[in-house]
Structure formats: structure tokens, C-alpha cells
Amino acid sequence: MWLEAALWGWVSGSALLIGAGLGYFPRLPQHWIATIMAFGSGVLMAALSFDLLEEAYDSGGSLSTSMGFFGGALMYTIPNWYLAQQGAQTRKQSGDQQPSEESRPGSGSALAMGALLDGIPESSVIGLSLLHGHHVSKVAVIAIFLSNIPEGLSSAAGMRQAGRSAVYTFGVWGGIAFVLGVAAVAGNVLFSFASPQIIAATLALGAGAILAMVVNTMLPEAFEHTQHFSGLIAVSGFLLAFLLSKLGL
């Protein structure tokens, strides 16, 4: 089961490299990048609403789910706030907002840590979902894969604008993609003997962290360049993930 968790973690993480390639080399217009970001935001929000939280509630009840969900948002927000002070607050932005290493020493490391912080909750829930019914939540994998493409795309475009090399950019995303597979394994192995309430709370914790990440880093970039259409685009992504969940994937 842990090998399956690693496989699905790496599959979802590989989307970061695909997105980074699309963002670094073709130089897509910013409004296209923001459109994909808005769509990915909607997909993720639907996945955590109709798949992750529902699964947590069914197996652990309202108290475990509520505590985990709020705790996940808190655990994401505090380190994200700290990393923002170090120069990582613009890590999902595709324009020239990202600081260069020359203008702000240490910002490159902060960007990498911020990107890692964004990805770990997503992969952890993949490993956890295998503990419930012994099969992976394909909706969660699809949602994370689809949302990782605009994450890698937007951030890589911003890194290019800040003057960071292709070696640095793809080294960051390749390393993070590998760590995401490890995080999926950790989510599966560490909680393999845990009670349903603990698994539910941890699954909800990952969902809370994902929602906080979407609101803090993805939606601002989406709205900046798509403006009044960002809601419609996000709804399209939300609807797609919702329909996939109803197909029983």
C-alpha cells in the first residue's frame, strides 16, 4: 500500500514539473496563467469539500473533522506568514513580483520552502485516503494533479522573471515532486494503525491546509489577471471535480 501511495504522490507531483516547463519556456501570457490558476483553485475546493471532508466526517464525526480542519488552516497559516516575511509571499505569481536573490538574499530558499509547504498537505491526504477502503481517492489525485499544473506554471514564470536560472527552477520543482511522493508514503505509513478519529482529524487537517493555501496564494494571482471572470472560471473547475466525485472515482 505504501508503494501505491508513493506512486500516486509522484503522479500528482509530476504536474508541478509539467507546469514549470509550460511557465518557464513558452512564456504564456499572464492572463492565461491566471485562468489556469483560477480553474485549479475551483478543482481543489471541490475535492476537499466533496471528497476529503466528507470522508473525514463519515469516519470520524464532526468533532474530529472540525478540529482537524481548523488546525490544518492554522498550521499552514503560521509558517506561511513567516515565509512571506522572508520573500516567499509572491511564489505563485507569474509576473515580476518575485524578488531576485540580488535584491533580497535568501528569498530563493524561502520560495522553495513555501512551495514545499503548499504541496505537503496535498500529498499527505493521498496516502491517508488509501487507509479508507484500501483504494486511493482518484478525485483527490485528479484535483491535485490539475491544480499543481497552474501552481508550477505560475511560480516558474515568476522565477524566470526574477532572473532565476532553469537549473534552479527545475531543481526546486523536481525536488518538491520527489518529496511529495515521500509525503504520501508518510501519510499512509504513519497512520496505518491509527484510530478512525485520528485518521479523520488528520485528513481534515490536510483539507484545511489546502483551503488556506488556495485562498492565500492561488486566488489572489487568479483574480489579479482575470478580474471579473475569475469566479466563473473557478466555478468551472469546481463543477468538474464535483462531477468526477459523483462518478464514483
Side-chain angles (χ1 to χ4, degrees):
M1 194 181 296
W2 68 268
L3 282 174
E4 186 178 355
L7 172 64
W8 288 115
W10 284 324
V11 166
S12 63
S14 67
L16 292 169
L17 285 171
I18 295 172
L22 292 173
Y24 197 90
F25 293 115
R27 300 177 182 256
L28 296 176
Q30 286 186 340
H31 69 274
W32 278 107
I33 297 175
T35 297
I36 300 172
M37 184 72 80
F39 186 84
S41 299
V43 167
L44 265 185
M45 287 190 285
L48 64 89
S49 299
F50 296 103
D51 199 61
L52 303 180
L53 275 181
E54 186 172 354
E55 184 176 317
Y57 182 85
D58 289 344
S59 60
S62 58
L63 181 60
S64 296
T65 302
S66 300
M67 292 178 63
F69 193 60
F70 185 79
L74 188 64
M75 288 180 64
Y76 174 86
T77 300
I78 293 175
N80 181 66
W81 171 81
Y82 172 76
L83 289 170
Q85 312 308 307
Q86 312 305 312
Q89 74 272 15
T90 55
R91 60 185 178 274
K92 291 286 198 306
Q93 297 185 11
S94 56
D96 56 1
Q97 300 96 330
Q98 287 190 21
S100 64
E101 195 65 27
E102 291 75 18
S103 65
R104 189 161 188 176
S107 58
S109 299
L111 286 167
M113 291 300 297
L116 188 61
L117 175 68
D118 296 340
I120 285 180
E122 298 173 344
S123 292
S124 298
V125 300
I126 291 176
L128 285 166
S129 71
L130 276 165
L131 298 175
H132 184 80
H134 302 286
H135 66 275
V136 74
S137 170
K138 293 185 176 63
V139 173
V141 172
I142 292 170
I144 293 169
F145 185 90
L146 291 176
S147 66
N148 277 345
I149 291 177
E151 286 187 48
L153 192 156
S154 182
S155 184
M159 289 178 178
R160 185 197 66 230
Q161 291 279 1
R164 291 189 165 87
S165 67
V167 172
Y168 173 86
T169 301
F170 289 96
V172 166
W173 290 114
I176 290 172
F178 175 79
V179 171
L180 296 189
V182 175
V185 172
N188 181 266
V189 172
L190 293 178
F191 295 91
S192 57
F193 298 103
S195 68
Q197 288 75 22
I198 292 177
I199 294 175
T202 309
L203 195 61
L205 186 145
I210 291 171
L211 182 56
M213 180 273 293
V214 168
V215 174
N216 281 346
T217 65
M218 294 182 70
L219 289 178
E221 167 70 2
F223 180 78
E224 182 176 354
H225 298 289
T226 57
Q227 295 292 316
H228 304 293
F229 296 99
S230 57
L232 179 63
I233 298 165
V235 165
S236 301
F238 189 99
L239 179 61
L240 172 64
F242 170 75
L243 293 176
L244 289 175
S245 71
K246 295 307 175 184
L247 290 175
L249 293 176

